[in-house]
Amino acid sequence: MELLSIDDINPQIARALLKIARKSIEQKLKKEPKVANSDLDDPTLNKYGMAFVTLETKYGENFELRGCIGYVDAVAPIKETVSKAAIAAAFSDPRFPPLKQYELDSVVIEITILTKPQVINVTNRVEIPSKVNVGEDGLIIEKGIMYSGLLLPQVPMEYCWDSETFLAETCIKAGLEPDCWLDDTVTVKKFQGLIIRENIKDNDDIIIMKPSDVKCKLTSST
């Protein structure tokens, strides 16, 4: 099993993955059978990989989250992972109703390709924030089998968080107290990501960016 690397992502692969995501949603909406695309047979797409698919709805100059689902285990080729994540983000995110046909044209698709999560090991847990690189790392926090939370690496950039706030928000996402990362029974993992996004200004173009390129939504424009 060959794993996909972030370095494997070039404009051709990025376009193919975005095409897979949108086509998967369209086929589900139209209740069409899934059809293999001969133009998506690049060997890179058959590498096993991890990814999240985020859907946003455009309102004027603003974007609102419409769904986000992904997989942090490499259990399928990346083309299948992206397809399943896109369908799940559109129709199975419990925070939103299933996507309707009329919404599709206003939805922007973003895919985050992930690296394998790694446990942050420290001798003193107060050192954990210093091991988290905002703008580079995403976080997973787990406690037993009941509690788990994940935030993508672009999230702290969007909200201008420092590493300690990022940890606290991931704890909350897991359903735990904000300082849960200090608890020895809590596992803290980090991973990296590369963002692929549809370019609403040119339907034939795409955007590839690092999480550090994401602008803070809270920064004043003045």
Side-chain angles (χ1 to χ4, degrees), residues 10 23 36 38 48 57 82 91 153 162 173 188 201 208 216:
N10 57 34
K23 188 66 175 177
S38 59
Y48 279 54
T57 300
V82 166
F91 305 105
D162 59 17
K173 183 75 179 290
V188 182
K201 295 181 180 179
I208 301 175
C216 177

Side-chain angles (χ1 to χ4, degrees), residues 6 112-120 127-140 150-158 161-163 166-167 170 188-195 210-213:
I6 285 176
T112 306
I113 304 298
L114 312 182
T115 64
K116 184 178 180 179
Q118 303 290 334
V119 175
I120 298 178
E127 300 172 5
I128 290 178
S130 67
K131 305 298 182 182
V132 178
N133 299 309
V134 172
E136 179 179 341
D137 297 331
L139 289 176
I140 300 172
L150 178 149
L151 288 176
L152 294 171
Q154 55 265 46
V155 173
M157 295 298 296
E158 292 175 352
W161 294 340
D162 59 17
S163 60
F166 189 18
L167 283 160
T170 313
V188 182
K189 300 177 182 178
K190 67 179 183 178
F191 59 89
Q192 289 74 53
L194 184 69
I195 302 164
K210 299 177 181 178
S212 58
D213 296 328

Side-chain angles (χ1 to χ4, degrees), residues 104-118:
L104 190 57
D105 288 343
S106 60
V107 164
V108 176
I109 299 175
E110 179 177 287
I111 301 169
T112 306
I113 304 298
L114 312 182
T115 64
K116 184 178 180 179
Q118 303 290 334

Side-chain angles (χ1 to χ4, degrees), residues 33-199:
K34 189 173 181 181
V35 179
N37 293 294
S38 59
D39 58 333
L40 300 180
D41 285 339
D42 190 300
T44 302
L45 299 174
N46 290 317
K47 292 184 179 182
Y48 279 54
M50 300 150 283
F52 266 69
V53 173
T54 302
L55 307 182
E56 293 183 347
T57 300
K58 187 177 187 301
Y59 294 101
E61 297 300 317
N62 299 316
F63 295 90
E64 291 186 7
L65 182 66
R66 185 59 180 83
C68 183
I69 298 287
Y71 302 94
V72 293
D73 294 311
V75 298
I78 191 62
K79 63 183 181 182
E80 294 180 16
T81 298
V82 166
S83 176
K84 291 178 181 178
I87 291 171
F91 305 105
S92 301
D93 189 324
R95 297 170 294 180
F96 303 95
L99 192 75
K100 301 297 184 183
Q101 178 71 46
Y102 73 86
E103 297 181 86
L104 190 57
D105 288 343
S106 60
V107 164
V108 176
I109 299 175
E110 179 177 287
I111 301 169
T112 306
I113 304 298
L114 312 182
T115 64
K116 184 178 180 179
Q118 303 290 334
V119 175
I120 298 178
N121 291 310
V122 292
T123 54
N124 187 333
R125 293 189 73 90
V126 298
E127 300 172 5
I128 290 178
S130 67
K131 305 298 182 182
V132 178
N133 299 309
V134 172
E136 179 179 341
D137 297 331
L139 289 176
I140 300 172
I141 282 182
E142 300 169 333
K143 183 175 182 179
I145 61 173
M146 295 294 294
Y147 300 96
S148 179
L150 178 149
L151 288 176
L152 294 171
Q154 55 265 46
V155 173
M157 295 298 296
E158 292 175 352
Y159 295 101
C160 309
W161 294 340
D162 59 17
S163 60
E164 192 163 334
T165 303
F166 189 18
L167 283 160
E169 293 291 342
T170 313
C171 285
I172 293 169
K173 183 75 179 290
L176 299 168
E177 293 297 319
D179 62 352
C180 79
W181 54 273
L182 290 165
D183 185 343
D184 288 335
T185 66
V186 170
T187 300
V188 182
K189 300 177 182 178
K190 67 179 183 178
F191 59 89
Q192 289 74 53
L194 184 69
I195 302 164
I196 304 166
R197 186 177 175 90
E198 292 178 329
N199 188 347

